Amino acid sequence: MPFDYAPAPESRSIVDIKSSYGLFIGGEFVDGSGSAFKSISPASEEVLAEIAEATADDVDRAVRAARQAHTRVWSKLPGSERAKYLYRIARIMAERSREFAVLESLDNGKPIRESRDVDLPLVSQWFFYYAGWADKLSYAGLGPDPRALGVAGQIIPWNFPIMMLAWKIAPALAAGNTVVLKPAETTPLTALLFAEVCQQADLPPGVVNIVTGAGSTGQALVDHADVDKIAFTGSTAVGKAIARSIAGTDKVATLELGGKAANIVFDDAPLDQAIEGIVRGIFFNQGHVCCAGSRLLVQENVYDEVLERLKRRMSTLRLGDPLDKNTDIGAINSAEQLARITALSDAGDAEGAERWSVPCDLPDNGFWFAPTIFTGVTQAHRIAREEIFGPVLSVLTFRTPSEAIEKANNTPYGLSAGVWTDKGSRILAMADRLRAGVVWANTFNQFDPASPFGGYKESGYGREGGKPGLAAYLEGSPA
Ligand code: TAP
């Protein structure tokens, strides 16, 4: 039984949410020409702010501002000067991290424990890391005179709004590009607060531009003739549409798309740690994680023990107010995403898998889904093949390492995988045969700016993070 905890809400008074926000173009907030939309808190459905919608004309203004800033200012600065701005942003993000964490939890629904301890620390780490690269491009094996691509159009999803912004903007600026970034429609607020950070850091106007809106705003950015690169994170369907749109143009792209990762537990694994890793793998960020360990593969002879321990551990997860410091599971990001998770889970029932959910009370308002596992899942089930992007785990079994590999690789995706075993040699052998961009061993969902991240197959192409993440913003790079 979970302990009873008194509520421990983080105060939201540190955040000053304006009633309405414009677009950030050329260093200033300006009006949008489209119809304003609302951003709500998914935990309560409270309206947080009204947001301007950028039309194709507004996107054009932003791209022109970015081009001008690139030609006149940013491309002329030595790397050491660009680094100073990036270090400044990194420091401001660290100083204002509590404010950003509260705003992120309000707008996205994720627990403050995660936005405070994972997302925001990674944001400043990303800026610090790429600041360090900015003056070393010529000595890094990236060619004798590495040149920026120019203007990057960046489109990010709602699951890690400020973290995805940092993953995109830090390497682009370090490499000498200017950017136009479109946050997701449901989570624009931290990107707009970041625009204020750009002003605070005295970043030259036009180096970073933020255009808010829905898919059509993203499409206008993709279609703009003067954008040199598209960096996209989101669904495989939209990623494919973007690849089709830019085919035959000079634009380059990195696409970071969906996943259906296998988390493989061998019978010699340290089971206490493995249980923590399974929970972290699928219930972190409500399972709204492209590299989530959404397919658990357990060796048959430890299946009963793993299942029993997993259910016991899951029963201690606390679901509720994202701003409560005791909360493990926050709100689902939107009504649409909740409907998707519900529909796929219902398909699991209909196809004969067995559902078990943590017994817990769901709040009356907002969008919620109890942490759930399905057992008796076969590889043919939709819940074993399709990305659910929610707190739902499909459990399968295996007998031999070869069977584990075969099942793990039996997916159109190839973003990540996890291996839990006592044997180092087995870890290496498995990592060699798993078709996944990232393989975690005896851990899961660990991120580091120095470590490249990206997928195979329908999980996309190109890498973010590390030196490859920088090369993706330089001329002549393969991505
Ligand atoms: P997407 O529709 O792919 O959204 C990602 C970003 O692309 C958002 O900023 C979105 O804008 C924008 N966008 C939508 N249509 C576009 C278009 N035609 N051209 C250019 N940009 C466009 O993902 P979603 O709707 O947020 O989620 C759908 C599914 O995608 C989820 O269920 C999940 O399976 C998957 N997903 C994967 C990831 C990662 S990290 N791999 C992240 C999020 C979602 P709006 O948000 O404003 O529509």
Side-chain angles (χ1 to χ4, degrees), residues 260-285:
K260 192 72 188 175
N263 202 1
I264 306 167
V265 179
F266 284 96
D267 59 3
D268 64 344
L271 284 192
D272 285 339
Q273 285 101 311
I275 297 299
E276 288 308 308
I278 295 165
V279 167
R280 185 186 172 91
I282 185 64
F283 300 120
F284 170 61
N285 204 34

Side-chain angles (χ1 to χ4, degrees), residues 100-390:
F100 270 92
V102 171
L103 186 60
E104 192 78 313
S105 284
L106 278 169
D107 202 23
N108 168 282
K110 64 173 70 199
I112 186 75
R113 208 165 48 81
E114 293 179 1
S115 50
R116 182 196 62 197
D117 298 347
V118 182
D119 300 37
L120 266 300
L122 282 169
V123 167
S124 34
Q125 281 172 33
W126 235 266
F127 278 102
F128 274 122
Y129 174 79
Y130 279 108
W133 271 113
D135 61 347
K136 301 174 189 69
L137 300 183
S138 310
Y139 320 103
L142 296 163
D145 183 21
R147 279 172 195 277
L149 293 166
V151 175
Q154 307 184 316
I155 299 168
I156 57 174
W158 43 262
N159 54 343
F160 291 98
I162 191 67
M163 196 169 111
M164 286 297 108
L165 174 149
W167 282 32
K168 298 271 180 287
I169 290 184
L173 264 47
N177 301 268
T178 55
V179 306
V180 178
L181 177 131
K182 191 200 91 68
E185 183 184 6
T186 58
T187 54
L189 293 184
T190 46
L192 294 164
L193 187 59
F194 180 82
E196 292 177 22
V197 169
C198 294
Q199 292 176 324
Q200 189 183 345
D202 274 332
L203 191 70
V207 172
V208 167
N209 304 275
I210 312 267
V211 289
T212 42
S216 56
T217 304
Q219 182 76 53
L221 188 54
V222 170
D223 291 342
H224 197 289
D226 201 31
V227 168
D228 299 296
K229 182 205 167 103
I230 295 293
F232 171 78
T233 298
S235 62
T236 295
V238 173
K240 284 182 181 177
I242 289 175
R244 278 193 295 271
S245 298
I246 64 171
T249 71
D250 289 338
K251 289 181 188 125
V252 292
T254 37
L255 302 178
E256 204 272 272
L257 312 177
K260 192 72 188 175
N263 202 1
I264 306 167
V265 179
F266 284 96
D267 59 3
D268 64 344
L271 284 192
D272 285 339
Q273 285 101 311
I275 297 299
E276 288 308 308
I278 295 165
V279 167
R280 185 186 172 91
I282 185 64
F283 300 120
F284 170 61
N285 204 34
Q286 294 72 246
H288 300 328
V289 184
C290 47
C291 52
S294 53
R295 285 183 300 150
L296 176 63
L297 302 188
V298 188
Q299 198 153 20
E300 220 168 75
N301 51 333
V302 288
Y303 173 80
D304 289 339
E305 190 181 354
V306 167
L307 252 278
E308 199 230 300
R309 288 195 196 204
L310 178 60
K311 286 183 179 175
R312 206 184 322 142
R313 174 67 180 89
M314 284 173 63
S315 301
T316 67
L317 292 173
R318 310 177 63 81
L319 176 147
D321 179 7
L323 284 188
D324 191 315
K325 292 171 211 157
N326 295 319
T327 293
D328 300 304
I329 309 286
I332 299 302
N333 181 251
S334 63
E336 293 73 32
Q337 190 60 24
L338 179 58
R340 251 180 238 145
I341 297 168
T342 306
L344 269 166
S345 301
D346 290 349
D349 295 330
E351 292 181 346
E354 195 177 321
R355 183 198 294 233
W356 182 84
S357 298
V358 173
C360 62
D361 295 329
L362 301 182
D364 294 333
N365 295 324
F367 317 121
W368 305 91
F369 200 92
T372 294
I373 56 177
F374 276 98
T375 50
V377 179
T378 74
Q379 296 184 82
H381 284 146
R382 281 183 67 197
I383 53 170
R385 290 185 286 117
E386 294 178 33
E387 190 179 38
I388 301 175
F389 224 65

